[in-house]
Amino acid sequence: MKLAIFGATGQVGMVMRSILAERDFPFDEVRFFASPRSAGSVISFAGRKVVVENSHDADFAGIDIALFSNGATASAELAPRVAAAGAIVIDNSSAWRMNERVPLVVPEVNASALDSIPLGIVANPNCTTMVCMSALGALRDAYGLRRVVASTYQAVSGAGVAGVAELAGQLLAAGARIAELTFDGAAVPLGDPSVFVEPIAANVIPLAGTLVDDETNEEHKFRDESRKILGLPDLAVCATCVRVPVFTGHSVSLNVELMADFEIGELRQVIAAAKGVVIADVPTPLGSAGRDPSFVGRIRRDLSVEKGVALFISGDNLRKGAALNTIQIAEALIERGIVKT
């Protein structure tokens, strides 16, 4: 069993390496790939020293499973080449998610989609979509879904290391101002933002992603990917994606209109029984950081519609939202006999 990680030195690649070790993933050989900038560096992993290879000019022969977290542009170029060399590629970028010939998979919800992988590529959903899928899948199975309204609270790590650095720098600037006792309730000068459209420290920005029409690409992703994963191409979905001053952990407030009526206690049990879900009285991104499940709470009737339920979900966007689900897909490939160990 030969495993490879592309983007191995990046933010998600580092989490992948940690989770592979935690879960004792079965492999005999491992290769790490990255951009020319990182090629040649040495990473200690699973009791061995692994030299990082240049992903643009390496020989990909012999790889069984390739975990990709190197961005959409690189994935669009490299994934077909790696798949053509014989690997199954599990891609964490947006490059392949909506391709009709590429399964978009959350193993707890639609593992059966792995039975057909015509291009040799499997897509991993967007980290915000991912947080909600197990709970929504359980509601779909028990009651049917008519409409989903999502308001997101997305951590800055969803924008990469640069987003984390921008929040950290602005928090330091705000802290210095407060320490000088000059804060009078007026706006604190935090410097010009570069990653986000407005300062993110002590603020929320109701525009996560980039505008593509009246909506952002993050809002399109939530709608399109939810429909594909849940197998409901006509599901009514409205999302407002918001960036918040949190380092790790995406949260989503959901208002869901169901097809069938429900008893609220029974519905809570349905969600609690879903794989990858933990019920919490007060789910928070801080409470979910570094942990695998999606934490679901504030479950109550939405009295604005006849068969509505409201709930709040938090999950670690770097773990289940990216690295963990990628590895769970690899595990599902092995469990279903698609890849042999």
Side-chain angles (χ1 to χ4, degrees):
M1 170 63 185
K2 296 181 180 179
L3 178 71
I5 301 178
F6 286 73
T9 60
Q11 182 176 232
V12 174
M14 290 187 287
V15 180
M16 282 183 181
R17 288 188 269 123
S18 174
I19 294 175
L20 286 166
E22 289 173 16
R23 297 173 74 89
D24 196 22
F25 186 86
F27 65 88
D28 299 298
E29 297 180 30
V30 65
R31 296 171 68 184
F32 293 156
F33 296 88
S35 67
R37 182 177 63 253
S38 299
S41 58
V42 179
I43 295 175
S44 296
F45 178 74
R48 65 194 80 185
K49 301 288 187 181
V50 183
V51 178
V52 177
E53 302 176 57
N54 184 343
S55 58
H56 293 283
D57 59 12
D59 180 357
F60 304 128
I63 298 171
D64 294 302
I65 295 178
L67 310 180
F68 267 51
S69 187
N70 49 355
T73 301
S75 177
E77 174 196 346
L78 292 173
R81 291 172 51 195
V82 176
I88 293 183
V89 173
I90 306 171
D91 180 51
N92 191 49
S93 79
S94 61
W96 300 97
R97 291 174 188 155
M98 299 315 299
N99 187 304
E100 293 181 358
R101 302 181 67 198
V102 174
L104 179 66
V105 176
V106 178
E108 297 93 334
V109 180
N110 66 333
S112 61
L114 293 172
D115 293 339
S116 176
I117 313 175
L119 300 184
I121 301 170
V122 181
N124 203 43
N126 176 264
C127 48
T128 312
T129 308
M130 186 87 69
V131 168
C132 304
M133 284 301 100
S134 288
L136 286 176
L139 293 176
R140 173 203 60 187
D141 293 344
Y143 306 104
L145 300 177
R146 186 186 302 277
R147 181 173 184 248
V148 176
V149 178
S151 300
T152 75
Y153 303 75
Q154 295 176 223
V156 296
S157 54
V161 174
V164 172
E166 184 150 300
L167 173 58
Q170 291 176 0
L171 287 174
L172 287 172
R177 179 78 182 274
I178 293 169
E180 293 170 0
L181 301 178
T182 57
F183 180 64
D184 57 7
V188 177
L190 301 174
D192 294 330
S194 59
V195 178
F196 307 112
V197 296
E198 295 287 342
I200 185 61
N203 205 10
V204 297
I205 304 173
L207 197 155
T210 56
L211 286 170
V212 293
D213 42 40
D214 287 339
E215 295 183 312
T216 69
N217 60 342
E218 290 284 309
E219 290 155 356
H220 278 270
K221 289 175 189 176
F222 190 93
R223 175 188 296 110
D224 297 340
E225 295 175 20
S226 296
R227 288 171 170 172
K228 185 172 180 178
I229 295 163
L230 294 168
L232 299 172
D234 298 320
L235 179 65
V237 180
C238 179
T240 300
C241 291
V242 181
R243 194 72 68 181
V244 296
V246 168
F247 286 108
T248 301
H250 288 351
S251 300
V252 184
S253 174
L254 289 177
N255 293 78
V256 184
E257 186 178 356
L258 304 173
M259 302 287 285
D261 206 352
F262 60 92
E263 194 278 320
I264 192 66
E266 178 188 74
L267 183 144
R268 288 193 181 100
Q269 293 176 1
V270 166
I271 294 175
K275 293 180 180 179
V277 167
V278 169
I279 298 296
D281 290 336
V282 184
T284 66
L286 192 61
S288 71
R291 302 174 69 183
D292 291 345
S294 292
F295 293 84
V296 183
R298 298 298 319 281
I299 303 169
R300 62 206 188 277
R301 283 190 176 273
D302 177 353
L303 299 177
S304 68
V305 292
E306 183 180 356
K307 299 170 184 173
V309 61
L311 55 151
F312 192 88
I313 305 178
S314 291
D316 187 323
N317 54 297
L318 300 179
R319 288 185 72 88
K320 182 57 178 174
L324 174 61
N325 196 73
T326 306
I327 294 163
Q328 287 176 312
I329 292 172
E331 292 170 342
L333 291 171
I334 294 170
E335 290 167 5
R336 300 176 82 84
I338 298 168
V339 174
K340 306 296 183 182
T341 57

